[in-house]
């Protein structure tokens, strides 16, 4: 029902069923009225006589102040409805909106502000009958499933019908028992709450990525080597470096996360068999509130972890044979270590949530027959070279030439 000269706001693509009727007649007499003689006209309706007029509004109004019209003439009376046809344009901005980042790809737990504009300009959420952000397809909000939608004024659920919201991306790309996924898609809809276009509205799709990390040598730092001769010890084949860790993909942000190393058990072979075999790597003990957190996004390097890692291995006592080869491998130490991330509690900001395994970093020390020792730490088998670090090689002694 509508009053004469009322304005109706209709989302482009909406079909509206106009019906002639009576609101003042008696219950007995109204069914006897022949509404088939009602005449429909106006700028939005072709002239016709019928009890109903079904009109598809598929062209935007040129101006919200200059609507199209639908008129109904019946029994000597004319009723006019003004119709503004509009399109909703979705706008979104990631909280960590660094240069050259993706606007449709997100890292787990990323935060995005959601809003809208209209064509023509000037149509408000109230005009539209209310505009509410929701998960498409009836998906239920959940931090570990499709994410959360919050009211930006309160930073809590639920959003309201004003067309504004905060989206918090899900913290996982797959759940326990599911096949491992490096990414997942989440679809949001800005939906009309009431009126002729109820339930309609544009969709916004985000692809959510779990982190994959890589390690590089800290610029300007030297490689390390155990040289124990000054204290009467035995010089041993060894190598090490200071490493820094970056999260990828590089065009999304992981700045809300915290990283740590989990557990791993050392394996040693051949000439190093038994040397530190079974050594257990314990989870990272964070030194302070910043340790292990991530810096803002960077499309060149990825998000940097606030952590400097000291990577080193040694072969123990080793006697170099005559005619030793610099390319023949004679032993390895392999230490597969789980890399994990977590996300903050939304109320307290504390790191109270589960640690989620993201990949395995392989700490690999390799001994060669002539005493050369290399050290590697990275994600073996990653499809991107970003997930690996080049093996760093150190001879047995910086002041010595090997083989002698």
């Amino acid at each position: 029902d509508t009053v004469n000269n009322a304005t109706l706001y209709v989302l482009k693509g909406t079909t509206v069923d106009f019906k002639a009727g009576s609101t003042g007649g008696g219950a007995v007499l109204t069914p006897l009225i022949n509404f088939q003689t009602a005449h429909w006209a106006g700028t939005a309706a072709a002239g016709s006589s019928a009890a109903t007029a079904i009109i598809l509004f598929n062209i935007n109004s040129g101006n919200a102040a200059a609507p199209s019209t639908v008129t109904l003439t019946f029994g000597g009376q004319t009723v006019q409805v003004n119709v503004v046809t509009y399109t909703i344009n979705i706008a979104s901005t990631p909280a960590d909106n660094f240069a050259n980042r993706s606007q449709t790809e997100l890292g787990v737990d990323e935060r995005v502000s959601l809003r809208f504009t209209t064509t023509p300009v000037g149509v408000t959420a109230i005009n539209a009958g209310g505009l509410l952000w929701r998960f498409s397809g009836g998906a239920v909000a959940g931090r570990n499933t499709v994410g959360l939608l919050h009211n930006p004024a309160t930073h809590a659920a639920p959003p309201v019908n004003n067309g504004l919201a905060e989206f918090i991306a899900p913290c996982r790309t797959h759940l326990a028992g599911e096949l491992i996924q490096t990414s997942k898609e989440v679809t949001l809809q800005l939906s009309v709450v009431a009126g002729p276009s109820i339930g309609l509205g544009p969709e916004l799709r985000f692809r959510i990525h779990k982190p994959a990390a890589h390690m590089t040598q800290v610029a300007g730092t030297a490689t390390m080597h155990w040289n124990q001769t000054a204290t009467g010890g035995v010089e041993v084949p060894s190598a090490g470096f200071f490493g820094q860790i970056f999260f990828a993909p590089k065009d999304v942000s992981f700045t809300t996360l915290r990283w740590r190393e989990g557990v791993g058990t050392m394996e040693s072979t051949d000439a190093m068999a038994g040397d530190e075999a079974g050594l257990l790597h314990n989870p990272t003990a964070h030194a302070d509130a910043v340790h292990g957190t991530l810096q803002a996004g960077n499309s060149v390097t990825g998000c940097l972890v606030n952590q400097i890692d000291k990577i080193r291995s040694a072969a123990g006592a080793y006697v170099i044979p005559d005619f030793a080869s610099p390319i023949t491998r004679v032993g390895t130490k392999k230490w597969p270590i789980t890399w994990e991330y977590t996300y903050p509690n939304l109320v307290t900001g504390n790191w109270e949530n589960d640690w989620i395994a993201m990949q395995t970093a392989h700490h690999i020390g390799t001994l060669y027959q002539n005493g050369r020792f290399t050290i590697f730490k990275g994600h073996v088998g990653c499809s991107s070279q970003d997930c690996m670090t080049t093996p760093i090689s150190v001879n047995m002694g910086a002041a010595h030439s090997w083989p002698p």
Side-chain angles (χ1 to χ4, degrees):
D1 295 339
T2 186
V3 297
N4 186 32
N5 216 32
T7 299
L8 196 64
Y9 292 84
V10 177
L11 189 63
K12 180 181 176 181
T14 301
T15 298
V16 181
D17 190 356
F18 293 89
K19 296 180 180 180
S22 172
T23 58
V28 176
L29 297 177
T30 297
L32 303 178
I33 300 174
N34 182 15
F35 290 112
Q36 295 296 328
T37 61
H39 183 74
W40 301 91
T43 59
S48 62
S49 295
T52 62
I54 300 174
I55 304 173
L56 170 63
F57 292 89
N58 213 25
I59 299 176
N60 281 340
S61 300
N63 190 310
S68 58
T69 59
V70 177
T71 61
L72 167 64
T73 301
F74 181 75
Q77 300 182 66
T78 297
V79 175
Q80 176 173 304
V81 177
N82 305 307
V83 181
V84 175
T85 306
Y86 67 96
T87 297
I88 297 173
N89 312 303
I90 288 173
S92 63
T93 305
D96 186 9
N97 197 25
F98 57 94
N100 300 318
R101 70 150 298 145
S102 173
Q103 298 296 317
T104 57
E105 312 281 317
L106 302 174
V108 291
D109 200 46
E110 270 217 71
R111 318 301 167 86
V112 183
S113 66
L114 305 173
R115 58 194 186 282
F116 75 99
T117 61
T118 62
T119 305
V121 298
V123 178
T124 67
I126 293 175
N127 295 152
L131 295 173
L132 180 67
W133 284 97
R134 66 180 186 180
F135 291 100
S136 183
V140 179
R143 200 151 186 213
N144 287 319
T145 52
V146 293
L148 302 175
L149 285 167
H150 281 180
N151 179 346
T154 62
H155 303 290
V160 294
N161 298 346
N162 63 0
L164 306 176
E166 289 177 336
F167 173 55
I168 301 177
C171 297
R172 301 172 186 262
T173 53
H174 65 279
L175 299 178
E178 295 180 346
L179 292 176
I180 295 175
Q181 300 176 152
T182 58
S183 66
K184 69 185 296 183
E185 189 173 270
V186 174
T187 304
L188 310 176
Q189 183 189 30
L190 182 55
S191 177
V192 177
V193 175
S197 302
I198 184 171
L200 302 179
E203 291 185 336
L204 177 61
R205 292 179 178 86
F206 288 115
R207 180 156 292 280
I208 316 300
H209 295 268
K210 87 173 184 64
H214 66 278
M215 175 172 281
T216 64
Q217 185 177 4
V218 177
T221 61
T223 55
M224 294 179 286
H225 168 69
W226 281 262
N227 187 341
Q228 301 172 326
T229 55
T231 58
V234 178
E235 189 174 42
V236 295
S238 60
F241 66 98
F242 291 95
Q244 56 189 359
I245 301 158
F246 295 90
F247 274 27
K250 297 176 183 179
D251 60 350
V252 304
S253 178
F254 299 101
T255 191
T256 64
L257 305 182
R258 194 173 204 179
W259 169 93
R260 78 172 184 183
E261 288 194 318
V263 299
T265 303
M266 179 77 78
E267 303 170 8
S268 53
T269 67
D270 301 323
M272 292 191 288
D275 187 4
E276 296 184 306
L279 180 64
L280 182 66
H281 186 283
N282 293 315
T284 301
H286 292 115
D288 51 45
V290 175
H291 189 198
T293 60
L294 280 93
Q295 298 181 15
N298 185 308
S299 61
V300 176
T301 64
C303 289
L304 174 63
V305 177
N306 291 308
Q307 149 99 5
I308 299 297
D309 197 10
K310 182 183 289 185
I311 301 95
R312 57 185 181 179
S313 274
Y318 174 67
V319 178
I320 299 174
D322 294 336
F323 310 109
S325 166
I327 61 173
T328 300
R329 299 180 184 182
V330 295
T332 60
K333 283 186 175 181
K334 297 181 179 180
W335 211 359
I337 302 170
T338 303
W339 281 4
E340 304 170 332
Y341 72 89
T342 191
Y343 50 95
N345 182 289
L346 291 178
V347 176
T348 66
N350 296 328
W351 307 101
E352 301 168 353
N353 296 293
D354 293 338
W355 288 94
I356 302 168
M358 51 189 279
Q359 68 194 65
T360 299
H362 295 268
H363 174 129
I364 302 174
T366 304
L367 174 65
Y368 294 83
Q369 194 177 54
N370 73 334
R372 186 167 68 94
F373 197 93
T374 64
I375 186 71
F376 168 95
K377 189 167 184 179
H379 178 43
V380 176
C382 177
S383 60
S384 167
Q385 291 301 311
D386 283 340
C387 294
M388 300 185 182
T389 184
T390 303
I392 293 175
S393 175
V394 178
N395 284 331
M396 281 185 64
H400 300 270
S401 175
W402 296 94

